[in-house]
Amino acid sequence: MPMARKQERKTIPGGESINSMTTSSSMVTSLKLDKVLAQMCVTAVNETLTNMLAMKVEFFDVRINEPHGLARGTISGIMPMVQGRTPEANMILTFSHEAVSQIVQAVYGSDVSMNTDILRDSVSELCNMVYGSLKRQLNNKGHGYNPGIPTVAFGDEHTIGYASGGQAMTTIFKANGSSVVLMIHLTPPPYETEMSKQINKLHVQ
Amino acid sequence: MKTLSEYSFLIVDDHLMMRQIVGQIVTHRLAETVHYATNGEEAWQRIISRLECNLIYDVIFLDWNMPLVDGHEVLLRCRARSEMNSTAIIMLTAESEERKVIQALKAGATAYITKPVATSTIDEKLEHICRWLENKREKQSPAAKV
């Protein structure tokens, strides 16, 4: 299946360094879209695809708050990132058709057809593992992310973007030459209500 | 590397992918008795059915977060059965917090592996488990040593 958009290695637009891109002070979240988080994403994807599935994973690019910084692929796992009771971000793991085909073949063998159940199960578990690694790294830095349950979305050449006012970091990989994208999308501030603030306060106490 | 043909395995995970990966690792090392369960309740039914036939799983791979009955509950139920003292129970889970590891080890887990994990790490862990099982067996049948 051809890639809809040719990906080329490039620098962060506007000459902004990854370090300088942080969330605004009004953000609910303490999560920062920066080089540290990008490195954590790289580690999480490597730990999962290289260690568990023996895939050759190459970091390709990172894009922060770019209009075209979309996750694009055939199947996506979406994991809410919740601290206390507050949903602070979504982690979206998107595979191209080629990438997910290789994973299914590596795990189940080449004679297994890629049915919806197998794909959903595989991407859901990969999402669990990538999030597990990311959560472990973030929690080691003082965050307190909870376990989550992923949702899986299908669709040839679908894209997942982010709402206006939200912020997103898209980390792009080549796994055995095929596209894998990990996007962290911060929940925009309006989603924090007075009620959720109070519930979160109670939860912390 | 020791073969696993003499041991029986139960692999419990709600994800087919993990069951498949772990199953491949043990069957690659010639394990013959490999059973699977998709949740804690199904796992417990399998364990009980086997106990009723005076058979005990040697090694159980157990995920933590599963529907119906979670892995921790299965672990507690297993350790409440004296017949299962010599079953190696390996928690294989995405739960990585220290308190969870401590909770599992206190409940009687033989080993704790955090996902994602390299398949070679599972292999290494199995080597330790084989030695652990051999020690347990030797202790349980001192006459055999004589």
mmCIF file of all heavy atoms in Angstrom, chain A residues 47-48 51-52 103 107-108 121-122 124-126 128-129 135-136 147, chain B residues 14-18 20-21 24 95-97 114-119:
data_model
loop_
_atom_site.group_PDB
_atom_site.id
_atom_site.type_symbol
_atom_site.label_atom_id
_atom_site.label_comp_id
_atom_site.label_asym_id
_atom_site.label_seq_id
_atom_site.Cartn_x
_atom_site.Cartn_y
_atom_site.Cartn_z
ATOM 1 N N GLU A 47 11.657 -0.524 22.762
ATOM 2 C CA GLU A 47 11.517 -1.639 23.713
ATOM 3 C C GLU A 47 10.456 -2.628 23.231
ATOM 4 O O GLU A 47 10.591 -3.833 23.400
ATOM 5 C CB GLU A 47 11.123 -1.119 25.101
ATOM 6 C CG GLU A 47 12.303 -0.592 25.896
ATOM 7 C CD GLU A 47 11.921 -0.214 27.326
ATOM 8 O OE1 GLU A 47 10.733 -0.331 27.700
ATOM 9 O OE2 GLU A 47 12.814 0.207 28.059
ATOM 10 N N THR A 48 9.407 -2.086 22.650
ATOM 11 C CA THR A 48 8.294 -2.955 22.239
ATOM 12 C C THR A 48 8.578 -3.663 20.919
ATOM 13 O O THR A 48 8.507 -4.893 20.840
ATOM 14 C CB THR A 48 6.995 -2.122 22.127
ATOM 15 O OG1 THR A 48 6.771 -1.469 23.372
ATOM 16 C CG2 THR A 48 5.804 -2.997 21.797
ATOM 17 N N ASN A 51 12.672 -5.237 20.986
ATOM 18 C CA ASN A 51 12.916 -6.291 21.973
ATOM 19 C C ASN A 51 11.921 -7.444 21.856
ATOM 20 O O ASN A 51 12.291 -8.602 21.950
ATOM 21 C CB ASN A 51 12.859 -5.730 23.397
ATOM 22 C CG ASN A 51 14.024 -4.807 23.676
ATOM 23 O OD1 ASN A 51 14.930 -4.689 22.860
ATOM 24 N ND2 ASN A 51 13.998 -4.157 24.819
ATOM 25 N N MET A 52 10.651 -7.096 21.672
ATOM 26 C CA MET A 52 9.649 -8.166 21.680
ATOM 27 C C MET A 52 9.464 -8.809 20.315
ATOM 28 O O MET A 52 9.198 -9.990 20.216
ATOM 29 C CB MET A 52 8.303 -7.621 22.168
ATOM 30 C CG MET A 52 8.296 -7.393 23.658
ATOM 31 S SD MET A 52 6.783 -7.901 24.464
ATOM 32 C CE MET A 52 6.794 -9.655 24.309
ATOM 33 N N ILE A 103 4.176 -7.334 11.546
ATOM 34 C CA ILE A 103 4.023 -7.736 12.949
ATOM 35 C C ILE A 103 3.186 -9.014 13.046
ATOM 36 O O ILE A 103 3.552 -9.961 13.740
ATOM 37 C CB ILE A 103 3.387 -6.585 13.770
ATOM 38 C CG1 ILE A 103 4.403 -5.450 13.921
ATOM 39 C CG2 ILE A 103 2.919 -7.072 15.139
ATOM 40 C CD1 ILE A 103 3.821 -4.149 14.407
ATOM 41 N N VAL A 107 4.494 -12.685 14.468
ATOM 42 C CA VAL A 107 3.918 -13.330 15.654
ATOM 43 C C VAL A 107 3.161 -14.610 15.297
ATOM 44 O O VAL A 107 3.297 -15.630 15.967
ATOM 45 C CB VAL A 107 2.983 -12.342 16.404
ATOM 46 C CG1 VAL A 107 2.305 -13.026 17.582
ATOM 47 C CG2 VAL A 107 3.767 -11.131 16.885
ATOM 48 N N TYR A 108 2.366 -14.544 14.237
ATOM 49 C CA TYR A 108 1.460 -15.663 13.961
ATOM 50 C C TYR A 108 1.887 -16.526 12.770
ATOM 51 O O TYR A 108 1.290 -17.556 12.515
ATOM 52 C CB TYR A 108 0.044 -15.142 13.694
ATOM 53 C CG TYR A 108 -0.510 -14.333 14.844
ATOM 54 C CD1 TYR A 108 -0.483 -12.942 14.819
ATOM 55 C CD2 TYR A 108 -1.029 -14.958 15.978
ATOM 56 C CE1 TYR A 108 -0.978 -12.195 15.870
ATOM 57 C CE2 TYR A 108 -1.529 -14.216 17.026
ATOM 58 C CZ TYR A 108 -1.497 -12.839 16.973
ATOM 59 O OH TYR A 108 -1.976 -12.107 18.021
ATOM 60 N N ASP A 121 -6.530 -7.173 18.434
ATOM 61 C CA ASP A 121 -5.821 -7.716 19.595
ATOM 62 C C ASP A 121 -4.352 -7.296 19.585
ATOM 63 O O ASP A 121 -3.802 -6.854 20.588
ATOM 64 C CB ASP A 121 -5.939 -9.245 19.590
ATOM 65 C CG ASP A 121 -5.221 -9.872 20.757
ATOM 66 O OD1 ASP A 121 -3.991 -10.083 20.647
ATOM 67 O OD2 ASP A 121 -5.846 -10.127 21.791
ATOM 68 N N SER A 122 -3.724 -7.425 18.413
ATOM 69 C CA SER A 122 -2.292 -7.135 18.316
ATOM 70 C C SER A 122 -2.005 -5.662 18.602
ATOM 71 O O SER A 122 -1.119 -5.330 19.396
ATOM 72 C CB SER A 122 -1.761 -7.480 16.920
ATOM 73 O OG SER A 122 -1.993 -8.836 16.640
ATOM 74 N N SER A 124 -3.909 -3.505 20.095
ATOM 75 C CA SER A 124 -4.292 -3.198 21.471
ATOM 76 C C SER A 124 -3.165 -3.571 22.441
ATOM 77 O O SER A 124 -2.800 -2.804 23.337
ATOM 78 C CB SER A 124 -5.567 -3.973 21.787
ATOM 79 O OG SER A 124 -5.889 -3.878 23.124
ATOM 80 N N GLU A 125 -2.573 -4.749 22.248
ATOM 81 C CA GLU A 125 -1.506 -5.187 23.145
ATOM 82 C C GLU A 125 -0.225 -4.385 22.914
ATOM 83 O O GLU A 125 0.486 -4.051 23.868
ATOM 84 C CB GLU A 125 -1.251 -6.697 22.969
ATOM 85 C CG GLU A 125 -0.181 -7.292 23.870
ATOM 86 C CD GLU A 125 -0.490 -7.216 25.370
ATOM 87 O OE1 GLU A 125 -1.359 -6.439 25.785
ATOM 88 O OE2 GLU A 125 0.182 -7.917 26.141
ATOM 89 N N LEU A 126 0.065 -4.054 21.661
ATOM 90 C CA LEU A 126 1.239 -3.220 21.388
ATOM 91 C C LEU A 126 1.073 -1.852 22.036
ATOM 92 O O LEU A 126 2.019 -1.285 22.593
ATOM 93 C CB LEU A 126 1.447 -3.065 19.877
ATOM 94 C CG LEU A 126 1.932 -4.326 19.159
ATOM 95 C CD1 LEU A 126 1.826 -4.159 17.654
ATOM 96 C CD2 LEU A 126 3.376 -4.656 19.549
ATOM 97 N N ASN A 128 -0.703 -1.265 24.704
ATOM 98 C CA ASN A 128 -0.492 -1.505 26.136
ATOM 99 C C ASN A 128 0.983 -1.485 26.481
ATOM 100 O O ASN A 128 1.399 -0.922 27.494
ATOM 101 C CB ASN A 128 -1.019 -2.893 26.522
ATOM 102 C CG ASN A 128 -2.460 -2.867 26.957
ATOM 103 O OD1 ASN A 128 -2.938 -1.851 27.448
ATOM 104 N ND2 ASN A 128 -3.156 -3.967 26.770
ATOM 105 N N MET A 129 1.787 -2.147 25.637
ATOM 106 C CA MET A 129 3.209 -2.274 25.947
ATOM 107 C C MET A 129 3.949 -0.950 25.770
ATOM 108 O O MET A 129 4.767 -0.584 26.603
ATOM 109 C CB MET A 129 3.838 -3.377 25.085
ATOM 110 C CG MET A 129 3.427 -4.753 25.560
ATOM 111 S SD MET A 129 4.367 -6.038 24.778
ATOM 112 C CE MET A 129 3.325 -6.485 23.446
ATOM 113 N N LYS A 135 4.756 5.015 30.432
ATOM 114 C CA LYS A 135 4.240 5.275 31.792
ATOM 115 C C LYS A 135 5.347 5.043 32.826
ATOM 116 O O LYS A 135 5.510 5.825 33.756
ATOM 117 C CB LYS A 135 3.056 4.333 32.040
ATOM 118 C CG LYS A 135 2.378 4.480 33.394
ATOM 119 C CD LYS A 135 1.024 3.785 33.389
ATOM 120 C CE LYS A 135 1.133 2.279 33.412
ATOM 121 N NZ LYS A 135 1.398 1.701 34.721
ATOM 122 N N ARG A 136 6.078 3.957 32.630
ATOM 123 C CA ARG A 136 7.163 3.647 33.582
ATOM 124 C C ARG A 136 8.201 4.766 33.580
ATOM 125 O O ARG A 136 8.629 5.225 34.641
ATOM 126 C CB ARG A 136 7.817 2.321 33.184
ATOM 127 C CG ARG A 136 8.920 1.872 34.128
ATOM 128 C CD ARG A 136 9.335 0.441 33.887
ATOM 129 N NE ARG A 136 9.850 0.189 32.560
ATOM 130 C CZ ARG A 136 9.276 -0.574 31.640
ATOM 131 N NH1 ARG A 136 8.132 -1.173 31.908
ATOM 132 N NH2 ARG A 136 9.811 -0.766 30.456
ATOM 133 N N PRO A 147 -2.907 2.949 34.679
ATOM 134 C CA PRO A 147 -3.085 2.036 33.540
ATOM 135 C C PRO A 147 -4.273 2.509 32.694
ATOM 136 O O PRO A 147 -5.165 3.188 33.205
ATOM 137 C CB PRO A 147 -3.411 0.687 34.195
ATOM 138 C CG PRO A 147 -3.027 0.831 35.613
ATOM 139 C CD PRO A 147 -3.113 2.276 35.965
ATOM 140 N N ASP B 14 -5.197 -11.988 28.390
ATOM 141 C CA ASP B 14 -6.396 -11.706 27.598
ATOM 142 C C ASP B 14 -6.050 -11.337 26.161
ATOM 143 O O ASP B 14 -6.936 -11.259 25.317
ATOM 144 C CB ASP B 14 -7.263 -10.618 28.257
ATOM 145 C CG ASP B 14 -6.509 -9.346 28.561
ATOM 146 O OD1 ASP B 14 -5.283 -9.417 28.751
ATOM 147 O OD2 ASP B 14 -7.142 -8.276 28.614
ATOM 148 N N HIS B 15 -4.771 -11.123 25.886
ATOM 149 C CA HIS B 15 -4.368 -10.804 24.515
ATOM 150 C C HIS B 15 -3.776 -12.029 23.823
ATOM 151 O O HIS B 15 -2.807 -12.615 24.310
ATOM 152 C CB HIS B 15 -3.354 -9.661 24.505
ATOM 153 C CG HIS B 15 -3.992 -8.330 24.770
ATOM 154 N ND1 HIS B 15 -4.696 -7.656 23.805
ATOM 155 C CD2 HIS B 15 -4.058 -7.579 25.879
ATOM 156 C CE1 HIS B 15 -5.164 -6.539 24.321
ATOM 157 N NE2 HIS B 15 -4.796 -6.465 25.579
ATOM 158 N N LEU B 16 -4.360 -12.348 22.686
ATOM 159 C CA LEU B 16 -3.885 -13.476 21.875
ATOM 160 C C LEU B 16 -2.405 -13.309 21.531
ATOM 161 O O LEU B 16 -1.637 -14.278 21.546
ATOM 162 C CB LEU B 16 -4.715 -13.549 20.583
ATOM 163 C CG LEU B 16 -4.274 -14.540 19.517
ATOM 164 C CD1 LEU B 16 -4.381 -15.963 20.032
ATOM 165 C CD2 LEU B 16 -5.127 -14.378 18.250
ATOM 166 N N MET B 17 -2.005 -12.081 21.261
ATOM 167 C CA MET B 17 -0.622 -11.827 20.855
ATOM 168 C C MET B 17 0.384 -12.284 21.908
ATOM 169 O O MET B 17 1.376 -12.937 21.594
ATOM 170 C CB MET B 17 -0.446 -10.336 20.581
ATOM 171 C CG MET B 17 0.889 -9.983 19.995
ATOM 172 S SD MET B 17 0.999 -8.205 19.815
ATOM 173 C CE MET B 17 2.355 -8.115 18.712
ATOM 174 N N MET B 18 0.117 -11.950 23.167
ATOM 175 C CA MET B 18 1.056 -12.349 24.228
ATOM 176 C C MET B 18 1.028 -13.852 24.439
ATOM 177 O O MET B 18 2.056 -14.487 24.665
ATOM 178 C CB MET B 18 0.738 -11.633 25.553
ATOM 179 C CG MET B 18 1.375 -10.288 25.720
ATOM 180 S SD MET B 18 3.124 -10.193 25.258
ATOM 181 C CE MET B 18 3.918 -11.156 26.520
ATOM 182 N N GLN B 20 0.459 -16.007 22.222
ATOM 183 C CA GLN B 20 1.179 -16.561 21.083
ATOM 184 C C GLN B 20 2.704 -16.428 21.279
ATOM 185 O O GLN B 20 3.454 -17.391 21.066
ATOM 186 C CB GLN B 20 0.737 -15.811 19.812
ATOM 187 C CG GLN B 20 1.381 -16.270 18.543
ATOM 188 C CD GLN B 20 0.771 -17.560 18.013
ATOM 189 O OE1 GLN B 20 -0.261 -18.013 18.508
ATOM 190 N NE2 GLN B 20 1.412 -18.152 17.027
ATOM 191 N N ILE B 21 3.144 -15.250 21.695
ATOM 192 C CA ILE B 21 4.593 -15.010 21.851
ATOM 193 C C ILE B 21 5.177 -15.926 22.928
ATOM 194 O O ILE B 21 6.189 -16.600 22.717
ATOM 195 C CB ILE B 21 4.865 -13.516 22.175
ATOM 196 C CG1 ILE B 21 4.602 -12.647 20.930
ATOM 197 C CG2 ILE B 21 6.293 -13.297 22.671
ATOM 198 C CD1 ILE B 21 4.657 -11.147 21.176
ATOM 199 N N GLN B 24 5.128 -19.554 21.854
ATOM 200 C CA GLN B 24 6.212 -19.874 20.910
ATOM 201 C C GLN B 24 7.537 -20.083 21.638
ATOM 202 O O GLN B 24 8.311 -20.965 21.279
ATOM 203 C CB GLN B 24 6.378 -18.744 19.893
ATOM 204 C CG GLN B 24 5.377 -18.801 18.750
ATOM 205 C CD GLN B 24 5.473 -17.598 17.837
ATOM 206 O OE1 GLN B 24 6.259 -16.686 18.063
ATOM 207 N NE2 GLN B 24 4.643 -17.583 16.807
ATOM 208 N N GLU B 95 2.148 -3.784 34.246
ATOM 209 C CA GLU B 95 2.184 -3.060 35.520
ATOM 210 C C GLU B 95 3.623 -3.016 36.026
ATOM 211 O O GLU B 95 4.217 -4.051 36.282
ATOM 212 C CB GLU B 95 1.318 -3.780 36.570
ATOM 213 C CG GLU B 95 -0.160 -3.701 36.307
ATOM 214 C CD GLU B 95 -0.729 -2.318 36.559
ATOM 215 O OE1 GLU B 95 -0.007 -1.465 37.091
ATOM 216 O OE2 GLU B 95 -1.891 -2.095 36.198
ATOM 217 N N SER B 96 4.169 -1.811 36.147
ATOM 218 C CA SER B 96 5.593 -1.728 36.485
ATOM 219 C C SER B 96 5.870 -1.050 37.821
ATOM 220 O O SER B 96 7.008 -0.977 38.258
ATOM 221 C CB SER B 96 6.317 -0.959 35.380
ATOM 222 O OG SER B 96 5.737 0.314 35.239
ATOM 223 N N GLU B 97 4.814 -0.543 38.461
ATOM 224 C CA GLU B 97 5.068 0.178 39.709
ATOM 225 C C GLU B 97 5.628 -0.762 40.781
ATOM 226 O O GLU B 97 5.226 -1.919 40.870
ATOM 227 C CB GLU B 97 3.784 0.822 40.235
ATOM 228 C CG GLU B 97 3.320 2.000 39.431
ATOM 229 C CD GLU B 97 2.012 1.721 38.735
ATOM 230 O OE1 GLU B 97 0.989 1.676 39.417
ATOM 231 O OE2 GLU B 97 2.030 1.518 37.517
ATOM 232 N N THR B 114 8.167 -7.355 33.500
ATOM 233 C CA THR B 114 7.390 -6.220 33.022
ATOM 234 C C THR B 114 7.408 -6.170 31.499
ATOM 235 O O THR B 114 8.465 -6.241 30.891
ATOM 236 C CB THR B 114 7.991 -4.906 33.584
ATOM 237 O OG1 THR B 114 8.096 -5.031 34.990
ATOM 238 C CG2 THR B 114 7.110 -3.729 33.276
ATOM 239 N N LYS B 115 6.217 -6.050 30.918
ATOM 240 C CA LYS B 115 6.111 -5.890 29.461
ATOM 241 C C LYS B 115 6.346 -4.422 29.104
ATOM 242 O O LYS B 115 5.915 -3.554 29.865
ATOM 243 C CB LYS B 115 4.707 -6.274 28.977
ATOM 244 C CG LYS B 115 4.397 -7.741 29.104
ATOM 245 C CD LYS B 115 3.074 -8.079 28.449
ATOM 246 C CE LYS B 115 1.895 -7.831 29.336
ATOM 247 N NZ LYS B 115 0.606 -8.351 28.857
ATOM 248 N N PRO B 116 6.954 -4.075 28.011
ATOM 249 C CA PRO B 116 7.512 -4.977 27.007
ATOM 250 C C PRO B 116 8.810 -5.610 27.492
ATOM 251 O O PRO B 116 9.564 -4.986 28.249
ATOM 252 C CB PRO B 116 7.797 -4.042 25.824
ATOM 253 C CG PRO B 116 7.976 -2.694 26.423
ATOM 254 C CD PRO B 116 7.114 -2.658 27.629
ATOM 255 N N VAL B 117 9.036 -6.828 27.060
ATOM 256 C CA VAL B 117 10.218 -7.553 27.516
ATOM 257 C C VAL B 117 10.828 -8.275 26.309
ATOM 258 O O VAL B 117 10.110 -8.728 25.409
ATOM 259 C CB VAL B 117 9.824 -8.562 28.629
ATOM 260 C CG1 VAL B 117 8.776 -9.545 28.154
ATOM 261 C CG2 VAL B 117 11.031 -9.307 29.163
ATOM 262 N N ALA B 118 12.141 -8.347 26.302
ATOM 263 C CA ALA B 118 12.808 -9.067 25.222
ATOM 264 C C ALA B 118 12.526 -10.559 25.392
ATOM 265 O O ALA B 118 12.486 -11.064 26.523
ATOM 266 C CB ALA B 118 14.302 -8.803 25.269
ATOM 267 N N THR B 119 12.339 -11.253 24.293
ATOM 268 C CA THR B 119 12.070 -12.688 24.385
ATOM 269 C C THR B 119 13.248 -13.412 25.044
ATOM 270 O O THR B 119 13.063 -14.408 25.732
ATOM 271 C CB THR B 119 11.793 -13.284 22.986
ATOM 272 O OG1 THR B 119 12.840 -12.884 22.117
ATOM 273 C CG2 THR B 119 10.474 -12.807 22.438
#
